[in-house]
Amino acid sequence: MKILVIGSGGREHALVWKIRQSARVTKIYCSPGNPGIAELAECLPMTATACEGLRDFALKEHIALTIVGPEQPLADGIVDMFEASGLNIFGPSRNAAQLEWSKAFAKEFMGEFNIPTAAHRSFSKEEMEAAKSYVISSALPLVLKADGLAAGKGVVVCATHEQALNTLSEMIGKRGFGIAGERIVIEEFLDGEEASVFAICDGEDFVTLAPAQDHKRIFDGDRGKNTGGMGAYAPTPIVTPDLMQEVERQIIVPTLRGMKQMNRPYKGCLYIGLMITASGPKVVEYNCRFGDPEAQVVLPLYGGDIVELFEAACTKNIAAVKATEAQASNFAVCVVLASMGYPDEYPTGIEIDGLDGLKKFDTVIAFHAGTKMQKGRLATAGGRVFGITSRDANLARAIDTAYRAVGEISFAGMQFRRDIGRKAFVH
């Protein structure tokens, strides 16, 4: 069977890498892909948001299954377009994906279906004065979120009322997040520890994958600005089997039930960003696709045929996969190598050395996130350049191997966190 993967980052490289292991797959295409993906699949010139062109290609080439990596094509309705043409595609419809592309909708949805989350209020750009009054009267710290998609950077935690008012002005008044900031969600700060749970859903039923823990801040010790993610590991011990059952019962099941009730059946990967609080797990946010870099640790740990799982989600047949569901007993750790200046402005086109040195590590995979070929040499092309993933039956060894592999790679200004996975040992 022929497979098409849409996207160009580390998440999509991980998807292609995992799909390649299926005996049922004869050909993989990726659009637009990257140099790492090009070693495993045929890369196409279309962007991830060229929905009509991608649909036409899938029809022409008789693509059996398409997997959507990033969030923007989902928000643009690519699933609806493909399905209207009779094509199999893994991902939620535009209406179902509103759980991610509108934080205000997600909050209202959680309130209606009694899904635990932070107390909150939403305000439009026309309600600026009311938003200011709400900020001033609220306890600190406060969390301000742009309603729309903001590449993982539309969330600001404010320690003072002055900071919250300035952030509000930047988001709405100065349109710091463009159309994504035309509506703002202001919510209480949840105290606890974050974790990520992934459910592969067919509209009614689901299978959960290994729970992961992301590292959002740019610097060690969770300091500095939020990023798209500087590393991850899985499974995280904070999500115990009992806690996972609670998450399924209180969050995943009512989410699927509620979406079906609203005539928006949820099919695809449901990513639940959790805060594990003293009073139990609460939803920080929904995402409607695999996380990045969480995909780089969760996918390597799935012991079954990922294509069969994705197909089951598309055909409302998850129950058939549950009997053979397999999670590897290993740990996986991913360390992100980022460009100098990230998550703010950063240079590109910087030559990369040392990638061949990773061949000595049997359990290491270098997932390309932001690379390009430049005059015959591999060079940087994004803020996050690589996700270096290591697998081992022992977490400490997986961490050690990942960092030894990181030591093989170099490019001018390369930055990375040195504490990925260390939180696990607290538990």
Side-chain angles (χ1 to χ4, degrees):
M1 63 189 298
K2 294 180 181 179
I3 304 285
L4 170 63
V5 176
I6 296 172
S8 63
R11 166 184 48 220
E12 289 74 33
H13 193 177
L15 282 164
V16 169
W17 174 85
K18 189 64 178 178
I19 289 164
R20 181 72 179 268
Q21 296 168 25
S22 172
R24 302 176 58 211
V25 174
T26 57
K27 176 81 175 181
I28 307 173
Y29 298 94
C30 187
S31 190
N34 63 41
I37 292 172
E39 296 177 4
L40 304 171
E42 181 178 331
C43 292
L44 307 175
M46 289 173 283
T47 67
T49 53
C51 298
E52 291 185 4
L54 290 165
R55 177 204 57 195
D56 293 345
F57 175 84
L59 286 168
K60 179 184 175 185
E61 293 297 325
H62 305 288
I63 299 298
L65 178 64
T66 298
I67 294 101
V68 185
E71 60 271 25
Q72 191 60 59
L74 297 172
D76 292 344
I78 191 169
V79 169
D80 309 74
M81 184 181 292
F82 269 55
E83 289 184 340
S85 298
L87 292 163
N88 245 4
I89 182 167
F90 177 76
S93 67
R94 170 174 163 76
N95 280 344
Q98 193 172 0
L99 282 176
E100 177 169 9
W101 60 258
S102 173
K103 290 183 175 62
F105 168 81
K107 286 292 183 181
E108 291 162 8
F109 172 84
M110 284 184 268
E112 183 173 349
F113 292 98
N114 298 312
I115 296 165
T117 189
H120 63 277
R121 284 276 305 275
S122 299
F123 299 91
S124 68
K125 61 182 180 180
E126 290 80 21
E127 299 171 311
M128 186 74 162
E129 293 307 313
K132 288 179 181 178
S133 297
Y134 184 76
V135 163
I136 293 168
S137 64
S138 296
L140 296 168
L142 274 174
V143 182
L144 273 65
K145 297 180 177 181
D147 176 49
L149 298 175
K153 299 167 191 172
V155 178
V156 181
V157 179
C158 301
T160 67
H161 289 117
E162 181 181 12
Q163 183 188 6
L165 291 170
N166 289 339
T167 301
L168 186 64
S169 176
E170 179 66 28
M171 283 183 167
I172 291 185
K174 298 180 183 177
R175 295 180 65 97
F177 287 91
I179 194 169
E182 291 195 348
R183 191 168 186 85
I184 299 296
V185 176
I186 303 173
E187 64 181 48
E188 69 169 325
F189 177 81
L190 293 176
D191 191 22
E193 194 161 351
E194 290 192 66
S196 305
V197 168
F198 299 87
I200 307 303
C201 311
D202 68 3
E204 293 184 357
D205 207 351
F206 64 93
V207 166
T208 55
L209 303 181
Q213 194 162 48
D214 187 14
H215 298 65
K216 282 288 186 191
R217 301 283 185 165
I218 185 67
F219 299 129
D220 290 7
D222 294 327
R223 295 178 297 107
K225 291 186 176 181
N226 265 338
T227 71
M230 290 299 293
Y233 74 97
T236 173
I238 194 172
V239 182
T240 63
D242 286 346
L243 185 64
M244 181 64 90
Q245 287 185 0
E246 188 177 350
V247 169
E248 292 179 2
R249 185 176 62 255
Q250 295 189 0
I251 297 171
I252 300 175
V253 169
T255 296
L256 294 184
R257 187 184 300 129
M259 292 300 282
K260 183 181 179 183
Q261 188 174 319
M262 294 179 70
N263 199 28
R264 302 173 184 231
Y266 193 94
K267 170 179 64 71
C269 179
L270 180 65
Y271 163 173
I272 301 164
L274 292 173
M275 185 68 74
I276 313 302
T277 72
S279 58
K282 296 186 178 183
V283 178
V284 175
E285 64 178 359
Y286 291 110
N287 289 319
C288 294
R289 34 71 193 182
F290 281 100
D292 187 342
E294 293 100 327
Q296 291 89 302
V297 292
V298 170
L299 290 170
L301 293 181
Y302 184 70
D305 186 325
I306 203 73
V307 173
E308 288 185 1
L309 181 59
F310 291 164
E311 266 197 314
C314 292
T315 57
K316 207 171 182 180
N317 199 28
I318 284 289
V321 177
K322 276 189 170 182
T324 58
E325 181 191 358
Q327 295 288 352
S329 58
N330 289 348
F331 291 90
V333 178
C334 177
V335 179
V336 169
L337 308 185
S339 297
M340 176 176 60
Y342 178 78
D344 295 319
E345 291 186 13
Y346 51 83
T348 59
I350 298 171
E351 288 191 1
I352 299 163
D353 293 310
L355 202 60
D356 285 345
L358 270 59
K359 293 176 181 177
K360 70 180 79 168
F361 301 99
D362 294 335
T363 59
V364 170
I365 317 146
F367 292 119
H368 291 232
T371 64
K372 64 181 177 181
M373 296 305 296
Q374 179 176 277
K375 297 179 181 178
R377 293 288 305 276
L378 192 65
T380 64
R384 293 184 295 173
V385 181
F386 289 107
I388 307 301
T389 296
S390 169
R391 293 161 295 160
D392 200 291
N394 178 280
L395 178 58
R397 280 201 307 265
I399 293 171
D400 178 67
T401 303
Y403 279 104
R404 285 194 290 119
V406 165
E408 298 287 332
I409 301 173
S410 64
F411 56 87
M414 185 176 88
Q415 60 171 332
F416 58 93
R417 282 183 57 159
R418 291 166 171 79
D419 62 349
I420 303 301
R422 303 292 180 193
K423 291 179 181 179
F425 300 111
V426 176
H427 305 289

